[in-house]
Amino acid sequence: MRWLTKIVFFLLIGCCNLSRYSHCETLTKQDDTIPIVLHLRSEKDLDVATKLLSYPKKTLLAHGINVYIDRVIFREEGELDIVGTPEMERSTLDEDEKIHIFFIDSLYGDDGEQLYGLHVNFSNRCKSYILIPDETTLSTIAHEIGHEFGLIHTEDRSNIMRSGERASDATFTKEQANIIREGMLSKRKSCY
């Protein structure tokens, strides 16, 4: 079953060597690509990552933007301690144009409310990450990627940028895709 998961992940996301602690090789790098670095707790997270990343890949590809996996990192015991804390900014998290997605157990706001995802941008903008807890929705990663590149919340239930419950087929508008492209270009310019 583990190999079947890796094959499905390979076909849906891209050509990657998913062996423990290895890095994925990118087949192509274009201007309209969003590189993702997955930080997983274990190989069990590959199932979840496969399912959750297929949604932003599909919805952004409809606008000519490709989401691809640049690397898959399996975190070691103890590395979870700094996720979501100020120490993370000072950690070895790469300063690059990539979006680092950490799969975690749970996520709560300051008010104790359960969150389904969180995007964090540090002061220099080249260091950012997304936290995805076990309990999340299919469109959450796409929503958080939208925040990464400058999108704000909307009330439209059919839009990925709605905060809270969204339609099962929520999408980005053409205008939002253009804002994402502008944000991608801006981030690349500031990180290199």
Side-chain angles (χ1 to χ4, degrees):
M1 185 65 174
R2 184 179 300 163
W3 287 106
L4 179 61
T5 300
K6 289 181 181 183
I7 290 169
V8 170
F9 189 79
F10 173 88
L11 293 173
L12 286 175
I13 304 304
C15 179
C16 292
N17 175 2
L18 296 176
S19 62
R20 189 169 285 281
Y21 307 113
S22 67
H23 300 294
C24 295
E25 295 297 323
T26 305
L27 290 178
T28 61
K29 289 191 178 185
Q30 304 165 345
D31 289 340
D32 287 347
T33 60
I34 300 175
I36 303 287
V37 178
L38 290 176
H39 298 263
L40 306 177
R41 296 166 292 193
S42 71
E43 289 187 19
K44 291 179 185 177
D45 284 343
L46 285 176
D47 290 330
V48 175
T50 300
K51 182 177 180 182
L52 293 177
L53 285 166
S54 66
Y55 197 88
K57 186 172 178 72
K58 177 185 77 171
T59 56
L60 286 166
L61 199 53
H63 296 285
I65 300 171
N66 184 34
V67 176
Y68 72 92
I69 304 301
D70 184 73
R71 285 184 292 170
V72 176
I73 299 170
F74 291 92
R75 298 192 314 260
E76 293 189 37
E77 192 78 33
E79 285 183 293
L80 300 176
D81 298 342
I82 65 164
V83 172
T85 67
E87 289 78 29
M88 190 165 201
E89 184 169 9
R90 296 184 294 275
S91 74
T92 58
L93 186 63
D94 294 338
E95 291 188 20
D96 54 25
E97 68 185 61
K98 299 170 180 81
I99 299 176
H100 295 260
I101 301 177
F102 288 81
F103 286 79
I104 60 174
D105 295 333
S106 58
L107 184 62
Y108 294 93
D110 292 337
D111 60 359
E113 181 182 355
Q114 181 179 359
L115 302 176
Y116 296 105
L118 180 69
H119 165 257
V120 178
N121 226 347
F122 293 115
S123 55
N124 84 6
R125 190 160 156 72
C126 293
K127 214 176 204 188
S128 62
Y129 64 94
I130 294 173
L131 299 177
I132 299 296
D134 286 338
E135 284 197 40
T136 192
T137 64
L138 189 57
S139 59
T140 297
I141 291 178
H143 177 92
E144 300 303 336
I145 288 173
H147 284 312
E148 167 66 15
F149 296 112
L151 297 182
I152 60 172
H153 288 147
T154 180
E155 293 300 316
D156 182 359
R157 198 169 176 282
S158 67
N159 193 291
I160 287 175
M161 293 313 296
R162 176 180 167 100
S163 180
E165 190 175 335
R166 295 179 277 279
S168 62
D169 60 348
T171 61
F172 289 112
T173 65
K174 183 178 179 180
E175 293 78 21
Q176 287 173 320
N178 289 335
I179 291 170
I180 289 172
R181 275 194 187 84
E182 290 170 15
M184 290 163 54
L185 181 61
S186 172
K187 186 168 185 170
R188 285 192 180 111
K189 284 181 178 178
S190 65
C191 295
Y192 290 107

